[in-house]
Amino acid sequence: MEQHHTLETSRLRHVALLGNFLPRKCGIATFTSDTHAALTERFPDLRVDVYAMDDHPGRYEYPPEVVAAIPQHDPAAHVEAARAISESGAQALWVQHEYGIYGGPAGENLIALLDRLTIPVVATLHTILEHPSEDERRVLEALLRRCSKVIVMAEKGREILKRVHGADDRAIVTIPHGVPDRPFVAPETMKGRFGWEGRKVILTFGLLAPNKGIETMIAAMPDIVAVEPRALYVVLGATHPNLVAHEGEIYRDQLKTLAQEKGVADHVRFVDAFVEQEPLLDYLQAADIYVTPYSNPAQITSGTLSYAVGVGKAVVSTPYVHATEILADRHGVLVGFGDSGGFAHEIARLLTDDNERQALSHRAYARGRTMLWPRLAERAIEVLDNARTAKPRRLNQRVVDITPIEPDISAVERMSDTTGMLQHSVYSVPDRNHGYCIDDNARALILMCKMEDLDPVVRDKWIGIYASFIQFAWNPEKQRFRNFMRFDRSWSEEAGSEDSNGRTIWALGVAANRAKPRKHRDWALSLYDATATLALQLRSPRAMAFAMLGAAEMLAAHPGHSLSRELLERFGEDLIALLDKARRPEWSWFEIVLAYDNARLPEALLRAGKALERDDFIAVGLETLEWIRDRQLSPEGRFRAVGTESFGREYADPLPFDQQPLEAQAMVDACDAAFTATGDRSWIAEAMRAYRWYLGANDLDLPLATSQDGGCFDGLMPTGLNRNQGAESILALQLASCAISVLSKVTENVAGPEVAAA
């Protein structure tokens, strides 16, 4: 006998279950509800949290096992559900997949949810299409990539996944649809409950819709009645809610009219009700024959067919995928699609041959015993637990010696052409579709000015290109720099954002102070003087901080530069005023939310305090830097960049994903500013902690830096690396490497304290 892996030998204690759920009326809701019941009954110690997809928020009164309802068409709700699943401590997620129950094209909101999770995911596929649309293919293949395993209910599903989607056979598990455990009974013992005494009952069950083939059976009834006058065809089930919403009960009325036209109105009965499981099983046990005349050959699963087999019904069906497999080897009878004559012949034969009908019923019941819900629960837990234990474990090790990378412009050059530096890439290949932006070209100019060991000819070439981009971006009519440029060198806007303008002023200040050739310093000073008054209009805290960093550089090159001094003093006071307004006992920050490039705010105060000899600026800079540092530490003591999902959450601790290289660079530079302002070498250790994030000392133990070519991946996602290498990420790594290179020369103790690894 096959031995199933159960909780007695497993450490799996908590799973999340995602799908529709009763009282929502649909087959997926019934399946998910039955699955939950089977899991909790078979494994009483297992915690199973249900996340129910909700097509009509507020309509359903979900039972307590539903911990959250997810509005189907709300993308943000899908992401919020992922957060809830992560915070719950669930060890694995079991998804019930059907294209129509998740929002977005072909249910793509599901993929957004899964992308926020680090736990293993297993999905049961309720529909597998031979000819998927572009959206259906895209979504299913994204799901296949994310799942540790996918469950199909028929072997045909496995074959389609491999042939149509190139799925790995090893990732596919076949687990038949579950069925309840009911004793085998003679139909006559149950017919009195429904007033069917003395009738030979043929039953179809399910939400009424045109694809169910009911017309075929009604057309067959005259011939059946001619052979067996006691025949009664019962059509059990409410009309599909979507059909009712669009046309009411027109379809049901058409079927009733058809029965009258065929002269069998007294032999066809419609039961308009959504029937729960227990009464449904009563109906099934009271029937002599169960029929599924479905018209869709590709139907992979039918819960009602499984239930009919489970209680031992003689089944006559069209040869759709699930029926072909479950009724194979003389466990049922197959008739061609739309073949009313075939249905009439086979049903009449079975109704008039009690021995054959009873033998078929007993064979079906025997097959159903292999499909009981406890067997499904055991197999599913085995799959979920194997997925959990197969997840790579992180080694318990101490990260002590991760050698910093020497600055390298290879990847910067790869992303640049004679116009400037392109914004984005697909993996490491520049993506021309998104063109250029002044943000990246300003950062690239800063890098060319800060890199110490760079061939003068190479430096001169690239400073000229990036400086030319900035110069061309200036719009004297708007008194602003433009930001976004298309690949054809046309501008997408007349004036860029405050942050992009502040960052450009910063780059000009750096070039005026640090560019090696005098010609470039003179150019930067001239353009700074012509444009930097725009900074006086800035109100974004980060834009002010960027302008302050540029002003501090300009003041270092030209101590009497009055505009730069004014910017440092005014914006320094403004930042402190923002801090005073937003401050709470546990919140020492300039805004009530966290955003990107956070450490630039304290860095600006520290650099301004040093330049102006303002101890109050330095004190506030240190206070807020310590505060943001503490919120960017993992429990293991590693740097954990504020995740982009944290943005906009008022007075809330940061979330861990997505982590982006910009944050680590900002922290390195801010720690450098703290060391410069105070001489406290512990800030060098903090800078190294943040820098090691690029090298693999992070939540996922994955290096973002590609040391062989100076590249950097775009971020840490819950499921791994974002393997694109855009300009912002590459520049963040290279600028951080420049800063670390300088700090390494200050002290021999660059390693700092040991940083624990998960």
PDB file of all heavy atoms in Angstrom, residues 632-655:
ATOM      1  N   GLN A 632      16.692  49.904   9.116  1.00  0.00           N
ATOM      2  CA  GLN A 632      17.228  49.198   7.960  1.00  0.00           C
ATOM      3  C   GLN A 632      18.190  48.101   8.411  1.00  0.00           C
ATOM      4  O   GLN A 632      19.197  47.840   7.764  1.00  0.00           O
ATOM      5  CB  GLN A 632      17.908  50.171   6.991  1.00  0.00           C
ATOM      6  CG  GLN A 632      16.935  51.165   6.385  1.00  0.00           C
ATOM      7  CD  GLN A 632      17.531  51.947   5.230  1.00  0.00           C
ATOM      8  OE1 GLN A 632      17.222  51.712   4.066  1.00  0.00           O
ATOM      9  NE2 GLN A 632      18.384  52.896   5.548  1.00  0.00           N
ATOM     10  N   LEU A 633      17.818  47.450   9.510  1.00  0.00           N
ATOM     11  CA  LEU A 633      18.578  46.311  10.011  1.00  0.00           C
ATOM     12  C   LEU A 633      17.665  45.099  10.091  1.00  0.00           C
ATOM     13  O   LEU A 633      16.543  45.183  10.600  1.00  0.00           O
ATOM     14  CB  LEU A 633      19.144  46.602  11.412  1.00  0.00           C
ATOM     15  CG  LEU A 633      20.340  47.540  11.515  1.00  0.00           C
ATOM     16  CD1 LEU A 633      20.719  47.729  12.977  1.00  0.00           C
ATOM     17  CD2 LEU A 633      21.525  46.998  10.739  1.00  0.00           C
ATOM     18  N   SER A 634      18.132  43.973   9.595  1.00  0.00           N
ATOM     19  CA  SER A 634      17.390  42.727   9.746  1.00  0.00           C
ATOM     20  C   SER A 634      17.653  42.169  11.141  1.00  0.00           C
ATOM     21  O   SER A 634      18.591  42.595  11.823  1.00  0.00           O
ATOM     22  CB  SER A 634      17.842  41.715   8.693  1.00  0.00           C
ATOM     23  OG  SER A 634      19.145  41.234   8.991  1.00  0.00           O
ATOM     24  N   PRO A 635      16.854  41.209  11.592  1.00  0.00           N
ATOM     25  CA  PRO A 635      17.117  40.612  12.912  1.00  0.00           C
ATOM     26  C   PRO A 635      18.509  40.005  13.025  1.00  0.00           C
ATOM     27  O   PRO A 635      19.052  39.893  14.118  1.00  0.00           O
ATOM     28  CB  PRO A 635      16.035  39.532  13.020  1.00  0.00           C
ATOM     29  CG  PRO A 635      14.932  40.010  12.143  1.00  0.00           C
ATOM     30  CD  PRO A 635      15.613  40.694  10.990  1.00  0.00           C
ATOM     31  N   GLU A 636      19.101  39.616  11.870  1.00  0.00           N
ATOM     32  CA  GLU A 636      20.449  39.034  11.889  1.00  0.00           C
ATOM     33  C   GLU A 636      21.533  40.093  11.881  1.00  0.00           C
ATOM     34  O   GLU A 636      22.726  39.770  11.882  1.00  0.00           O
ATOM     35  CB  GLU A 636      20.634  38.120  10.671  1.00  0.00           C
ATOM     36  CG  GLU A 636      19.672  36.944  10.615  1.00  0.00           C
ATOM     37  CD  GLU A 636      18.315  37.315  10.057  1.00  0.00           C
ATOM     38  OE1 GLU A 636      18.187  38.420   9.471  1.00  0.00           O
ATOM     39  OE2 GLU A 636      17.370  36.513  10.217  1.00  0.00           O
ATOM     40  N   GLY A 637      21.156  41.376  11.868  1.00  0.00           N
ATOM     41  CA  GLY A 637      22.147  42.443  11.887  1.00  0.00           C
ATOM     42  C   GLY A 637      22.653  42.846  10.524  1.00  0.00           C
ATOM     43  O   GLY A 637      23.660  43.545  10.409  1.00  0.00           O
ATOM     44  N   ARG A 638      21.959  42.457   9.475  1.00  0.00           N
ATOM     45  CA  ARG A 638      22.344  42.848   8.126  1.00  0.00           C
ATOM     46  C   ARG A 638      21.600  44.118   7.712  1.00  0.00           C
ATOM     47  O   ARG A 638      20.555  44.453   8.269  1.00  0.00           O
ATOM     48  CB  ARG A 638      22.004  41.730   7.138  1.00  0.00           C
ATOM     49  CG  ARG A 638      22.747  40.436   7.389  1.00  0.00           C
ATOM     50  CD  ARG A 638      22.202  39.349   6.503  1.00  0.00           C
ATOM     51  NE  ARG A 638      23.120  38.212   6.428  1.00  0.00           N
ATOM     52  CZ  ARG A 638      23.044  37.251   5.529  1.00  0.00           C
ATOM     53  NH1 ARG A 638      22.092  37.283   4.626  1.00  0.00           N
ATOM     54  NH2 ARG A 638      23.908  36.263   5.518  1.00  0.00           N
ATOM     55  N   PHE A 639      22.156  44.787   6.708  1.00  0.00           N
ATOM     56  CA  PHE A 639      21.443  45.917   6.127  1.00  0.00           C
ATOM     57  C   PHE A 639      20.227  45.391   5.374  1.00  0.00           C
ATOM     58  O   PHE A 639      20.313  44.427   4.618  1.00  0.00           O
ATOM     59  CB  PHE A 639      22.354  46.687   5.168  1.00  0.00           C
ATOM     60  CG  PHE A 639      21.668  47.852   4.504  1.00  0.00           C
ATOM     61  CD1 PHE A 639      21.436  49.023   5.204  1.00  0.00           C
ATOM     62  CD2 PHE A 639      21.250  47.770   3.189  1.00  0.00           C
ATOM     63  CE1 PHE A 639      20.797  50.100   4.599  1.00  0.00           C
ATOM     64  CE2 PHE A 639      20.611  48.832   2.573  1.00  0.00           C
ATOM     65  CZ  PHE A 639      20.386  50.004   3.283  1.00  0.00           C
ATOM     66  N   ARG A 640      19.100  46.023   5.617  1.00  0.00           N
ATOM     67  CA  ARG A 640      17.849  45.669   4.936  1.00  0.00           C
ATOM     68  C   ARG A 640      17.253  46.962   4.393  1.00  0.00           C
ATOM     69  O   ARG A 640      16.677  47.756   5.139  1.00  0.00           O
ATOM     70  CB  ARG A 640      16.879  44.982   5.877  1.00  0.00           C
ATOM     71  CG  ARG A 640      15.473  44.783   5.280  1.00  0.00           C
ATOM     72  CD  ARG A 640      14.510  44.203   6.290  1.00  0.00           C
ATOM     73  NE  ARG A 640      14.729  42.780   6.474  1.00  0.00           N
ATOM     74  CZ  ARG A 640      14.180  42.052   7.439  1.00  0.00           C
ATOM     75  NH1 ARG A 640      13.402  42.650   8.340  1.00  0.00           N
ATOM     76  NH2 ARG A 640      14.412  40.758   7.534  1.00  0.00           N
ATOM     77  N   ALA A 641      17.404  47.174   3.101  1.00  0.00           N
ATOM     78  CA  ALA A 641      16.902  48.398   2.481  1.00  0.00           C
ATOM     79  C   ALA A 641      15.393  48.515   2.660  1.00  0.00           C
ATOM     80  O   ALA A 641      14.666  47.527   2.589  1.00  0.00           O
ATOM     81  CB  ALA A 641      17.259  48.409   0.995  1.00  0.00           C
ATOM     82  N   VAL A 642      14.932  49.733   2.915  1.00  0.00           N
ATOM     83  CA  VAL A 642      13.499  49.980   3.001  1.00  0.00           C
ATOM     84  C   VAL A 642      12.856  49.534   1.698  1.00  0.00           C
ATOM     85  O   VAL A 642      13.209  49.999   0.614  1.00  0.00           O
ATOM     86  CB  VAL A 642      13.218  51.469   3.252  1.00  0.00           C
ATOM     87  CG1 VAL A 642      11.731  51.762   3.105  1.00  0.00           C
ATOM     88  CG2 VAL A 642      13.707  51.876   4.634  1.00  0.00           C
ATOM     89  N   GLY A 643      11.920  48.604   1.767  1.00  0.00           N
ATOM     90  CA  GLY A 643      11.286  48.075   0.565  1.00  0.00           C
ATOM     91  C   GLY A 643      10.337  49.073  -0.073  1.00  0.00           C
ATOM     92  O   GLY A 643       9.726  49.905   0.612  1.00  0.00           O
ATOM     93  N   THR A 644      10.196  49.005  -1.374  1.00  0.00           N
ATOM     94  CA  THR A 644       9.308  49.933  -2.070  1.00  0.00           C
ATOM     95  C   THR A 644       7.861  49.778  -1.622  1.00  0.00           C
ATOM     96  O   THR A 644       7.072  50.719  -1.739  1.00  0.00           O
ATOM     97  CB  THR A 644       9.398  49.726  -3.592  1.00  0.00           C
ATOM     98  OG1 THR A 644       9.055  48.368  -3.903  1.00  0.00           O
ATOM     99  CG2 THR A 644      10.803  50.009  -4.102  1.00  0.00           C
ATOM    100  N   GLU A 645       7.496  48.614  -1.099  1.00  0.00           N
ATOM    101  CA  GLU A 645       6.132  48.439  -0.595  1.00  0.00           C
ATOM    102  C   GLU A 645       5.874  49.280   0.651  1.00  0.00           C
ATOM    103  O   GLU A 645       4.724  49.472   1.045  1.00  0.00           O
ATOM    104  CB  GLU A 645       5.866  46.970  -0.281  1.00  0.00           C
ATOM    105  CG  GLU A 645       5.653  46.125  -1.516  1.00  0.00           C
ATOM    106  CD  GLU A 645       5.164  44.736  -1.168  1.00  0.00           C
ATOM    107  OE1 GLU A 645       5.019  44.449   0.036  1.00  0.00           O
ATOM    108  OE2 GLU A 645       4.940  43.952  -2.089  1.00  0.00           O
ATOM    109  N   SER A 646       6.947  49.782   1.262  1.00  0.00           N
ATOM    110  CA  SER A 646       6.794  50.602   2.456  1.00  0.00           C
ATOM    111  C   SER A 646       6.314  52.004   2.128  1.00  0.00           C
ATOM    112  O   SER A 646       5.782  52.709   2.992  1.00  0.00           O
ATOM    113  CB  SER A 646       8.143  50.716   3.192  1.00  0.00           C
ATOM    114  OG  SER A 646       8.678  49.458   3.478  1.00  0.00           O
ATOM    115  N   PHE A 647       6.520  52.439   0.899  1.00  0.00           N
ATOM    116  CA  PHE A 647       6.262  53.818   0.536  1.00  0.00           C
ATOM    117  C   PHE A 647       4.799  54.177   0.775  1.00  0.00           C
ATOM    118  O   PHE A 647       3.887  53.440   0.394  1.00  0.00           O
ATOM    119  CB  PHE A 647       6.607  54.073  -0.928  1.00  0.00           C
ATOM    120  CG  PHE A 647       8.061  53.853  -1.283  1.00  0.00           C
ATOM    121  CD1 PHE A 647       8.486  53.965  -2.593  1.00  0.00           C
ATOM    122  CD2 PHE A 647       9.001  53.534  -0.313  1.00  0.00           C
ATOM    123  CE1 PHE A 647       9.816  53.769  -2.939  1.00  0.00           C
ATOM    124  CE2 PHE A 647      10.328  53.325  -0.643  1.00  0.00           C
ATOM    125  CZ  PHE A 647      10.742  53.445  -1.956  1.00  0.00           C
ATOM    126  N   GLY A 648       4.592  55.307   1.419  1.00  0.00           N
ATOM    127  CA  GLY A 648       3.241  55.810   1.608  1.00  0.00           C
ATOM    128  C   GLY A 648       2.501  55.269   2.811  1.00  0.00           C
ATOM    129  O   GLY A 648       1.341  55.628   3.021  1.00  0.00           O
ATOM    130  N   ARG A 649       3.133  54.430   3.638  1.00  0.00           N
ATOM    131  CA  ARG A 649       2.468  53.871   4.823  1.00  0.00           C
ATOM    132  C   ARG A 649       2.779  54.768   6.014  1.00  0.00           C
ATOM    133  O   ARG A 649       3.912  54.841   6.468  1.00  0.00           O
ATOM    134  CB  ARG A 649       2.933  52.438   5.077  1.00  0.00           C
ATOM    135  CG  ARG A 649       2.642  51.505   3.913  1.00  0.00           C
ATOM    136  CD  ARG A 649       3.287  50.140   4.107  1.00  0.00           C
ATOM    137  NE  ARG A 649       2.609  49.340   5.104  1.00  0.00           N
ATOM    138  CZ  ARG A 649       3.191  48.841   6.202  1.00  0.00           C
ATOM    139  NH1 ARG A 649       4.460  49.101   6.460  1.00  0.00           N
ATOM    140  NH2 ARG A 649       2.511  48.094   7.038  1.00  0.00           N
ATOM    141  N   GLU A 650       1.780  55.441   6.532  1.00  0.00           N
ATOM    142  CA  GLU A 650       2.000  56.463   7.549  1.00  0.00           C
ATOM    143  C   GLU A 650       2.432  55.854   8.884  1.00  0.00           C
ATOM    144  O   GLU A 650       1.796  54.935   9.396  1.00  0.00           O
ATOM    145  CB  GLU A 650       0.726  57.287   7.730  1.00  0.00           C
ATOM    146  CG  GLU A 650       0.346  58.087   6.496  1.00  0.00           C
ATOM    147  CD  GLU A 650      -0.863  58.976   6.714  1.00  0.00           C
ATOM    148  OE1 GLU A 650      -1.338  59.044   7.879  1.00  0.00           O
ATOM    149  OE2 GLU A 650      -1.326  59.598   5.744  1.00  0.00           O
ATOM    150  N   TYR A 651       3.529  56.397   9.413  1.00  0.00           N
ATOM    151  CA  TYR A 651       4.058  55.998  10.725  1.00  0.00           C
ATOM    152  C   TYR A 651       4.133  54.474  10.867  1.00  0.00           C
ATOM    153  O   TYR A 651       3.776  53.907  11.904  1.00  0.00           O
ATOM    154  CB  TYR A 651       3.217  56.590  11.857  1.00  0.00           C
ATOM    155  CG  TYR A 651       3.288  58.100  11.934  1.00  0.00           C
ATOM    156  CD1 TYR A 651       2.179  58.888  11.678  1.00  0.00           C
ATOM    157  CD2 TYR A 651       4.480  58.740  12.256  1.00  0.00           C
ATOM    158  CE1 TYR A 651       2.238  60.276  11.744  1.00  0.00           C
ATOM    159  CE2 TYR A 651       4.554  60.132  12.330  1.00  0.00           C
ATOM    160  CZ  TYR A 651       3.432  60.896  12.073  1.00  0.00           C
ATOM    161  OH  TYR A 651       3.511  62.265  12.131  1.00  0.00           O
ATOM    162  N   ALA A 652       4.583  53.813   9.833  1.00  0.00           N
ATOM    163  CA  ALA A 652       4.641  52.350   9.835  1.00  0.00           C
ATOM    164  C   ALA A 652       6.074  51.883   9.628  1.00  0.00           C
ATOM    165  O   ALA A 652       6.842  52.498   8.876  1.00  0.00           O
ATOM    166  CB  ALA A 652       3.745  51.772   8.739  1.00  0.00           C
ATOM    167  N   ASP A 653       6.424  50.792  10.304  1.00  0.00           N
ATOM    168  CA  ASP A 653       7.746  50.214  10.098  1.00  0.00           C
ATOM    169  C   ASP A 653       7.890  49.755   8.656  1.00  0.00           C
ATOM    170  O   ASP A 653       6.917  49.342   8.026  1.00  0.00           O
ATOM    171  CB  ASP A 653       7.958  49.029  11.043  1.00  0.00           C
ATOM    172  CG  ASP A 653       8.193  49.474  12.477  1.00  0.00           C
ATOM    173  OD1 ASP A 653       8.654  50.616  12.677  1.00  0.00           O
ATOM    174  OD2 ASP A 653       7.912  48.684  13.406  1.00  0.00           O
ATOM    175  N   PRO A 654       9.107  49.802   8.130  1.00  0.00           N
ATOM    176  CA  PRO A 654       9.294  49.447   6.718  1.00  0.00           C
ATOM    177  C   PRO A 654       9.053  47.975   6.457  1.00  0.00           C
ATOM    178  O   PRO A 654       9.280  47.125   7.315  1.00  0.00           O
ATOM    179  CB  PRO A 654      10.756  49.834   6.440  1.00  0.00           C
ATOM    180  CG  PRO A 654      11.414  49.835   7.770  1.00  0.00           C
ATOM    181  CD  PRO A 654      10.369  50.252   8.752  1.00  0.00           C
ATOM    182  N   LEU A 655       8.613  47.694   5.243  1.00  0.00           N
ATOM    183  CA  LEU A 655       8.465  46.333   4.761  1.00  0.00           C
ATOM    184  C   LEU A 655       9.724  45.941   3.993  1.00  0.00           C
ATOM    185  O   LEU A 655      10.407  46.787   3.426  1.00  0.00           O
ATOM    186  CB  LEU A 655       7.233  46.218   3.867  1.00  0.00           C
ATOM    187  CG  LEU A 655       5.910  46.529   4.574  1.00  0.00           C
ATOM    188  CD1 LEU A 655       4.784  46.669   3.563  1.00  0.00           C
ATOM    189  CD2 LEU A 655       5.584  45.446   5.585  1.00  0.00           C
TER     190      LEU A 655
END
